């Protein structure tokens, strides 16, 4: 990390605003889909692209294009340039909002890195924090005094573009989860990349509507008037869940700082692997209510985590402690009435599977994990995505008690390799910067899955062995 910081030079820092003719969305009230992410850490993503040109070429030709195209993309995504307005003296969810004012901007940093590019690319084990200098930090929170009431304004989006002279360009994006989920962020990134590519081809003369009509991205929909909160989840989250989760996150940060040195690596599950896992599960449990490639993939990862922890910590690890494996479901199309796919914001419901480590590491562990996770999805498909939402507190109870838990970031449905081209071709590498577990479509296959893992070094060694041996056993 220290070596990398010595090779990183800031070229320019600026704020990019939407164009004057933007149709600004000046205020978005937060509903429970957004409020549940209030205490969640910002998400960082990086995309590396081949760029065999000098830094001077980057400054003269690429930097202006990226600024202009970003501004044009923000024309339709003005909330990203705004702030989260948080009251300091109330628990009313009506006082929480995303606000955009004329002149608000997205913080953008342009930098040069002369370090070894190879340490960033590939799937090999390396320092977990290696990507941190390549993703921008969100700007500082500011305080507002309006009509005798105190508020804080928190920026929501930041970008860093780093050139590796004659080698590559890295696009690093950081966003608050409160403003948007992965689907909305992906739509924005597609918009920016498409506009940048077309702007280069058209020599600066571009009608953004042509890019939209070509299907490169969707104009975001901001209408949230039809979203219902039948159980008063917004109030519940602010009064109970928010403070509790915040305390736990602070505790976890302390624990993480004192743990073993962490490393990151990327693993790949081939389509044939997933098919074999699915067949194995169905052989053991032919009457499962719901089984999919996604559930068996998650079940396999869960068993790998459980077995690696049991291997590393032995008798010091309590196999009878419940383990919590979670992911989220996009429910835009499943609400009543449904929301359009272009809906901007958060529209995710949690799906959490709970089982003891002893069961997950046992002979029936894979099948049991697949059944637990499949049931978590099936009940929402059958009864509606908000079924049981009044019991979300119970769903998170294990996490709040400090039981082992892990959640998935990203989704194979968001193909950053094949759908995000700034004009430099397919990305060399896409990764989440800090997430312990993330999924994405594979670079060289639309059916294989890349799995990003961050673990203490001792656990990563065990995980790698368990993961590889498990796949080999499928072929035997």
């Amino acid at each position: 990390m220290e070596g990398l910081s010595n090779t990183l030079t800031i070229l320019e820092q600026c704020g990019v605003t939407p164009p004057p003719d933007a149709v600004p969305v000046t205020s978005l009230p937060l509903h429970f889909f957004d409020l549940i992410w209030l205490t969640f850490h910002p998400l960082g993503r990086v995309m590396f692209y081949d760029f065999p040109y000098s830094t001077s070429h980057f400054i003269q030709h690429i930097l202006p294009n990226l600024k202009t195209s970003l501004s044009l993309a923000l024309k339709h995504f003005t909330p990203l340039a705004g702030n989260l307005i948080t009251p300091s003296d109330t628990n009313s969810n009506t006082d929480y909002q995303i606000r955009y004012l004329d002149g608000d901007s997205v913080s953008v940093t342009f930098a040069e890195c002369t370090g070894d590019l190879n340490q960033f690319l590939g799937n090999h084990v390396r320092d977990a924090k290696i990507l941190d200098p390549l993703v921008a930090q969100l700007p500082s929170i500011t305080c507002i005094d309006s009509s005798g009431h105190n508020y804080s304004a928190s920026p929501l989006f930041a970008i860093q573009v780093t050139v590796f002279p004659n080698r590559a360009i890295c696009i690093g994006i950081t966003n608050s989860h409160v403003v948007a989920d992965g689907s909305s962020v992906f739509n924005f990134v597609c918009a920016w990349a498409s506009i940048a590519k077309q702007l280069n081809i058209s020599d600066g003369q571009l009608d953004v509507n042509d890019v939209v009509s070509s299907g490169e991205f969707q104009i975001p929909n901001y209408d949230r008037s039809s979203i219902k909160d039948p159980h008063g989840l917004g109030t519940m989250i602010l009064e109970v869940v928010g403070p509790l989760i915040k305390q736990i996150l602070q505790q976890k940060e302390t624990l993480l700082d004192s743990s073993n040195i962490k490393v990151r690596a990327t693993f790949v599950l081939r389509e044939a692997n997933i098919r074999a896992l699915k067949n194995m599960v169905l052989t053991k449990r032919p009457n499962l209510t719901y089984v999919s490639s996604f559930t068996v993939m998650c079940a396999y990862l869960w068993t790998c985590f459980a077995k690696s922890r049991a291997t590393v910590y032995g008798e010091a690890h309590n196999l009878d402690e419940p383990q919590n494996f979670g992911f989220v479901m996009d429910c835009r199309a499943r609400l009543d009435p449904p929301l359009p796919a272009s809906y901007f914001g958060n529209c995710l419901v949690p799906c959490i599977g709970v089982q003891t480590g002893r069961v997950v590491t046992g002979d029936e562990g894979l099948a049991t994990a697949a059944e637990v996770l499949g049931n978590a999805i099936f009940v929402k498909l059958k009864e509606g995505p908000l079924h049981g939402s009044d019991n979300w507190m119970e769903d998170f109870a294990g996490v709040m008690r400090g039981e082992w838990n892990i959640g998935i970031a990203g989704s194979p449905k968001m193909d950053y390799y094949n759908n995000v081209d700034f004009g430099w071709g397919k990305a060399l590498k896409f990764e989440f910067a800090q997430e312990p577990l993330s999924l994405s479509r594979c670079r060289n296959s639309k059916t294989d899955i890349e799995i990003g893992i961050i673990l203490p070094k001792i656990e990563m060694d065990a995980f790698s062995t368990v993961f590889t041996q498990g796949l080999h056993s499928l072929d035997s």
Side-chain angles (χ1 to χ4, degrees), residues 81-279:
N83 291 275
L84 168 66
I85 304 302
T86 306
S88 60
D89 55 356
T90 178
N91 284 325
S92 172
N93 59 347
T94 59
D95 291 318
Y96 286 79
Q97 60 176 292
I98 305 297
R99 189 185 68 186
Y100 171 78
L101 298 178
D102 187 32
D104 283 346
S105 63
V106 169
S107 173
V108 183
T109 300
F110 294 96
E112 176 192 60
C113 183
T114 56
D116 180 12
L117 178 65
N118 293 326
Q119 65 184 317
F120 300 101
L121 305 181
N123 297 341
H124 59 285
V125 175
R126 57 243 198 250
D127 186 344
K129 297 182 178 181
I130 188 70
L131 299 176
D132 289 2
L134 301 180
V135 289
Q137 299 296 311
L138 294 179
S140 300
I141 298 172
T142 58
C143 296
I144 303 171
D145 188 348
S146 177
S147 302
H149 296 282
N150 295 320
Y151 299 87
S152 62
S154 308
L156 299 163
F157 206 73
I159 294 170
Q160 179 171 320
V161 182
T162 305
V163 59
F164 292 76
N166 305 308
R167 295 294 306 277
I169 284 179
C170 175
I171 305 287
I173 294 173
T174 304
N175 71 280
S176 165
H177 210 317
V178 174
V179 68
D181 58 19
S183 177
S184 292
V185 171
F186 181 65
N187 188 32
F188 167 77
V189 175
C190 288
W192 182 23
S194 301
I195 294 171
K197 182 178 181 179
Q198 295 301 319
L199 196 64
N200 183 55
I201 295 173
S202 63
D203 295 323
Q205 303 299 316
L206 176 69
D207 185 345
V208 176
N209 292 325
D210 292 338
V211 183
V212 177
S213 62
S214 68
E216 298 290 338
F217 74 96
Q218 298 175 308
I219 297 294
N221 179 292
Y222 295 99
D223 183 9
R224 45 189 64 188
S225 61
S226 65
I227 299 177
K228 303 170 185 175
D229 185 0
H231 304 295
L233 294 174
T235 300
M236 179 189 75
I237 291 168
L238 286 177
E239 292 182 348
V240 183
V241 177
L244 285 175
I245 290 181
K246 186 173 183 178
Q247 292 174 14
I248 291 173
L249 287 175
Q250 290 171 343
Q251 293 170 5
K252 289 192 172 208
E253 287 169 0
T254 301
L255 291 174
L256 290 175
D257 289 341
S258 62
S259 67
N260 293 319
I261 295 174
K262 292 195 175 225
V263 295
R264 66 187 310 123
T266 302
F267 298 83
V268 176
L269 267 179
R270 306 293 180 190
E271 180 184 19
N273 299 144
I274 299 172
R275 188 166 54 247
L277 288 169
K278 191 172 183 179
N279 290 337

Side-chain angles (χ1 to χ4, degrees), residues 384-401:
L386 296 183
H387 176 77
S389 58
D390 52 329
N391 294 319
W392 276 0
M393 281 291 296
E394 295 180 16
D395 292 339
F396 288 108
V399 178
M400 296 175 186
R401 286 193 298 266

